[in-house]
Amino acid sequence: VSELREWRPVIYRKCTDTLWLLVFFLFWAGLMFITGYAVMAGAAERLVLGYDSFGNICGRKNTPVKGAPLSGQDMTNKKYVFFLNSCSLEMQSLKISSLSLCVSSCPQEQLNSLEDLQSFARNNGSCLCIYNLTVSSYTLNPKAAELCPTLPVPPSKSFPLFNRCVPQNPECYSKYASVLISMVNEMDVFHRTLSGILAGRDTVVGLSVLALAFSFMLVLAFRFIRILLVHTLIALVVFGLLFVSGILWWLYYDYRNDPSTELETEKENVKFLLGYAIFSTIVTVILLSLIFVLRKRLQFTVQLFRIVGKIIGRIPFLLFQPLWTFLILIVFWVFWVAVLLSLATAGTAQTTSGGQVEYRALSGICHMAWYHFVGLIWTSEFILACQQMTIAGAVVTCYFNRNKNSPPPHPVLSSISVLFCYHLGTAVKGSFLITILRIPRIVLLYLYNILKQKESACAKCLFKCCVCWVWCQESCLSCFNQHAYTTTAINGTNFCTSAKDAVFILAKNSAKLASISCFGDFILFLGKVFVVCFTVFGGLMAFNYHRELQAWVVPLLLVGFFAYLMSHSFLSVFEVTADAMFLCFAIDMETNDGSAEKPYFVDQELLTFVSQSNKLTEGQKHRSMRPFQDNEDGTELQPMV
């Protein structure tokens, strides 16, 4: 016979799911190994800053490479890559055959002789010949023609993304562009995307801050919600959905009809824009339909948020809970991106003839990247799970308190201490289940990209069905996890036991509670859509002004993902509070009958709200709370066997 478990916050607890916590620690030990390897072997600056033929990265100080006497130079003031033979470049194995140097400025006018090169170096401080050739030797050294650029040197200007000196002479530019286009097109999508992220890093950071501001504004708005605010939010969401969908379609046709679209990154932008436009249109139609169907529930939704706001008013520090979660997520994401960039550029410097340096990729990088990607999903979900358990623990403590006017002292700190002392393993296990469902979707996306080249309609249809199925499973599991976390906060049991108990109690009352909570969840989802829509709109306007060689549509997707996570992190305070409150309510109704011997823990406002909402749902004028099964046996909160 299993140990009796009382439906109430217990005082004496034990550690739950410790084996899963140990597995998580071992997994992070692997991440630390990959981090150390990436830091030692990688150089993310090479993706964007560029480097010369001698292993020097432009725009920074460098360390010497053995066997390369011209390496290890200070290039802090030399930020541009200049090719000595820019008018007749050739590419071999993703490498440009011409020697390249780091220079402080590109020649703005054509240079026809060595004297012109010497004069340009003295006037501008930018030496266009090999580093070991002094400026005074340009016209004296007999080998100067071999150590300096091919004459005449065409006028050029720096390119904004890769910091290259691009020749402006029409003939040279066409040859230069063709080689550069071939090089970018032959780069794998992984490196092209990383280049786009690095190039637009300032925009990505700015848009993330914008999403943070929108999320914080919505948290304050929902705390003091009124019916007019709900109507305003819905109007803004409708406007945002229609406007973003229209902008995406307009950009797609603009890119598609642009005759200068030659780079693979530009073609990828067109493909992604089409996918975004279709997805946005479908989401817009679905949400508009749901808003029309559920419009009569707005009054009850406002009343629900007032009750939730009343609970949060008793625990005001819950509003600050998303802040530390957000800060931890930001620190982790910055760490993850930094390691990813270093891992993508991990390679060994090898010297060739003439003291030149080549970087060759190391083996096993692809497997490390996949491991690192799983770490992103698992750790992010674990951090969000810790927030959910903290909020649920605080709500449970306050709900099962007889004196509503005198809440327990420091419920948030108490919930955090219980989480870290006993239930981290439960959060690890719940977040791992979400991760397991995310990985098949990634594999399906990879297979779809392979089959898409064959233009198989069957493969496309199968892919869409599978992705929809996996997404539905993820959504159900997320709700399932939340109830399991709340039950763990009540009973102190492990994940599986808590999930079973939660399903047992909710199965009896699902018809009564599901119709209530789903409308609140829908309004919160509209709030998340609001944040994503206006953040993505800002991204569309910002990225569209920098089209050159940028796979900016993927960074835009990253911004949208971060915006959703931020809004979810902040608005989940209301979502988790409402879910935990209804689970506690179901337990209260299951184990008590409102008599003097077994009084309810619930306050009258919530009891009246649930009763009125059920009347509207079932179309009856009078309905008592008796459908919730009265428990006539046992003590006040009867143990479950």
Side-chain angles (χ1 to χ4, degrees):
V1 180
S2 61
E3 182 182 356
L4 298 181
R5 301 182 303 281
E6 293 188 2
W7 278 108
R8 59 169 56 187
V10 296
I11 299 176
Y12 301 102
R13 295 178 180 266
K14 62 180 180 180
C15 295
T16 56
D17 299 301
T18 52
L19 180 60
W20 283 95
L21 185 59
L22 177 61
V23 170
F24 191 63
F25 284 150
L26 293 176
F27 179 84
W28 258 90
L31 284 181
M32 289 297 99
F33 170 78
I34 292 177
T35 300
Y37 181 83
V39 170
M40 296 298 296
E45 299 95 332
R46 293 204 308 267
L47 276 177
V48 170
L49 298 181
Y51 59 97
D52 63 15
S53 298
F54 308 101
N56 299 299
I57 299 177
C58 301
R60 54 159 285 185
K61 293 183 179 180
N62 297 274
T63 56
V65 177
K66 186 178 180 181
L70 296 181
S71 63
Q73 300 194 34
D74 185 0
M75 298 295 181
T76 305
N77 298 322
K78 300 179 178 180
K79 301 179 180 180
Y80 306 105
V81 179
F82 175 77
F83 293 100
L84 269 64
N85 193 9
S86 59
C87 286
S88 56
L89 296 179
E90 294 181 0
M91 189 184 67
Q92 299 175 353
S93 302
L94 284 178
K95 296 180 180 63
I96 297 178
S97 58
S98 173
L99 284 176
S100 59
L101 303 174
C102 293
V103 298
S104 57
S105 62
C106 303
Q108 302 294 322
E109 299 178 355
Q110 181 169 301
L111 306 177
N112 299 308
S113 64
L114 294 175
E115 288 77 8
D116 291 342
L117 292 175
Q118 189 178 58
S119 176
F120 177 78
R122 288 174 175 171
N123 295 332
N124 298 278
S126 182
C127 302
L128 304 183
C129 297
I130 301 298
Y131 304 130
N132 56 4
L133 184 64
T134 62
V135 176
S136 59
S137 302
Y138 281 12
T139 57
L140 302 176
N141 194 315
K143 295 185 178 180
E146 301 176 4
L147 303 177
C148 292
T150 303
L151 297 174
V153 178
S156 60
K157 67 177 182 178
S158 59
F159 202 68
L161 176 59
F162 291 121
N163 296 329
R164 267 60 170 182
C165 290
V166 180
Q168 298 303 298
N169 181 290
E171 183 179 354
C172 293
Y173 177 80
S174 62
K175 295 181 180 179
Y176 184 96
S178 63
V179 172
L180 194 59
I181 287 172
S182 300
M183 183 186 73
V184 175
N185 287 347
E186 291 189 17
M187 290 171 60
D188 56 77
V189 177
F190 179 63
H191 285 81
R192 287 202 301 268
T193 301
L194 288 179
S195 298
I197 292 175
L198 280 179
R201 59 188 179 276
D202 295 336
T203 305
V204 171
V205 172
L207 291 172
S208 299
V209 173
L210 179 65
L212 171 63
F214 279 137
S215 300
F216 191 71
M217 288 168 52
L218 278 181
V219 168
L220 295 179
F222 278 119
R223 172 64 181 88
F224 306 100
I225 196 167
R226 295 294 183 270
I227 188 66
L228 179 62
L229 179 62
V230 175
H231 286 290
T232 304
L233 174 63
I234 292 177
L236 288 175
V237 169
V238 171
F239 171 77
L241 287 171
L242 294 175
F243 196 67
V244 169
S245 298
I247 290 293
L248 286 170
W249 282 112
W250 173 74
L251 286 176
Y252 167 69
Y253 283 109
D254 184 45
Y255 270 76
R256 183 183 179 185
N257 298 325
D258 190 351
S260 63
T261 302
E262 298 182 23
L263 291 177
E264 191 65 28
T265 52
E266 293 176 332
K267 296 178 181 177
E268 288 175 2
N269 287 343
V270 175
K271 295 177 183 178
F272 277 109
L273 279 173
L274 177 60
Y276 289 175
I278 294 175
F279 177 77
S280 177
T281 303
I282 294 175
V283 170
T284 300
V285 172
I286 294 176
L287 288 182
L288 291 180
S289 302
L290 289 175
I291 290 172
F292 178 78
V293 172
L294 303 178
R295 66 190 185 281
K296 295 182 179 180
R297 280 282 184 170
L298 292 182
Q299 184 62 45
F300 280 93
T301 301
V302 173
Q303 189 176 353
L304 169 63
F305 279 109
R306 287 177 181 171
I307 296 174
V308 173
K310 184 178 179 180
I311 295 178
I312 294 177
R314 296 171 184 163
I315 321 172
F317 283 103
L318 280 183
L319 288 177
F320 298 96
Q321 184 68 19
L323 290 178
W324 71 265
T325 303
F326 171 74
L327 292 177
I328 293 176
L329 282 174
I330 286 295
V331 171
F332 170 67
W333 289 338
V334 170
F335 160 78
W336 186 85
V337 171
V339 174
L340 180 65
L341 295 176
S342 298
L343 196 62
T345 55
T348 56
Q350 298 183 356
T351 57
T352 61
S353 59
Q356 299 180 31
V357 176
E358 292 182 356
Y359 291 96
R360 298 188 179 177
L362 301 174
S363 59
I365 295 297
C366 181
H367 301 89
M368 291 184 180
W370 276 104
Y371 188 95
H372 192 57
F373 186 74
V374 173
L376 170 67
I377 300 176
W378 193 2
T379 306
S380 298
E381 292 294 336
F382 169 73
I383 295 172
L384 293 175
C386 289
Q387 173 182 280
Q388 292 174 346
M389 290 200 71
T390 300
I391 297 174
V395 173
V396 165
T397 302
C398 289
Y399 185 95
F400 291 107
N401 175 48
R402 290 295 184 190
N403 188 357
K404 301 300 182 183
N405 296 324
S406 178
H410 311 298
V412 175
L413 292 178
S414 176
S415 180
I416 292 175
S417 64
V418 169
L419 168 64
F420 278 88
C421 292
Y422 302 104
H423 303 316
L424 279 179
T426 300
V428 168
K429 187 173 183 178
S431 58
F432 178 76
L433 294 178
I434 296 290
T435 306
I436 287 298
L437 283 181
R438 293 271 173 90
I439 294 177
R441 188 164 59 175
I442 298 171
V443 174
L444 287 172
L445 181 61
Y446 174 74
L447 294 176
Y448 173 74
N449 288 331
I450 295 177
L451 297 175
K452 184 175 62 174
Q453 299 176 356
K454 301 180 180 180
E455 298 183 356
S456 173
C458 179
K460 293 181 180 179
C461 180
L462 180 62
F463 164 77
K464 294 176 182 178
C465 293
C466 291
V467 168
C468 181
W469 175 70
V470 174
W471 178 81
C472 292
Q473 282 192 322
E474 282 185 27
S475 302
C476 294
L477 184 59
S478 297
C479 181
F480 180 80
N481 282 0
Q482 177 52 52
H483 292 305
Y485 296 150
T486 305
T487 306
T488 297
I490 299 174
N491 290 334
T493 51
N494 60 42
F495 182 85
C496 293
T497 304
S498 299
K500 182 187 69 174
D501 293 343
V503 170
F504 175 80
I505 195 69
L506 290 174
K508 293 184 177 181
N509 304 290
S510 59
K512 309 303 176 186
L513 298 179
S515 61
I516 303 174
S517 61
C518 69
F519 299 110
D521 292 341
F522 179 68
I523 294 297
L524 289 174
F525 178 73
L526 290 183
K528 299 172 187 178
V529 172
F530 165 79
V531 174
V532 173
C533 277
F534 283 90
T535 304
V536 169
F537 170 71
L540 286 172
M541 295 297 98
F543 282 120
N544 189 49
Y545 287 104
H546 303 284
R547 299 187 176 188
E548 305 91 350
L549 294 177
Q550 290 192 41
W552 59 262
V553 183
V554 177
L556 182 63
L557 178 63
L558 185 65
V559 167
F561 173 72
F562 283 172
Y564 179 81
L565 282 183
M566 289 177 194
S567 60
H568 175 75
S569 177
F570 277 82
L571 295 180
S572 63
V573 172
F574 295 90
E575 187 176 356
V576 175
T577 300
D579 290 342
M581 179 185 68
F582 283 125
L583 180 60
C584 293
F585 177 82
I587 295 168
D588 196 9
M589 296 297 104
E590 176 70 19
T591 54
N592 297 290
D593 57 8
S595 63
E597 294 78 14
K598 295 187 292 183
Y600 291 133
F601 283 92
V602 65
D603 57 19
Q604 188 61 36
E605 185 179 3
L606 176 59
L607 193 67
T608 304
F609 166 72
V610 175
S611 178
Q612 291 177 349
S613 181
N614 287 333
K615 288 177 183 178
L616 178 62
T617 302
E618 300 181 14
Q620 299 178 356
K621 294 183 179 180
H622 302 285
R623 190 171 185 85
S624 65
M625 299 305 298
R626 298 298 296 175
F628 294 98
Q629 297 294 327
D630 288 338
N631 194 338
E632 299 179 358
D633 300 323
T635 58
E636 177 184 303
L637 291 173
Q638 183 175 346
M640 294 181 60
V641 181

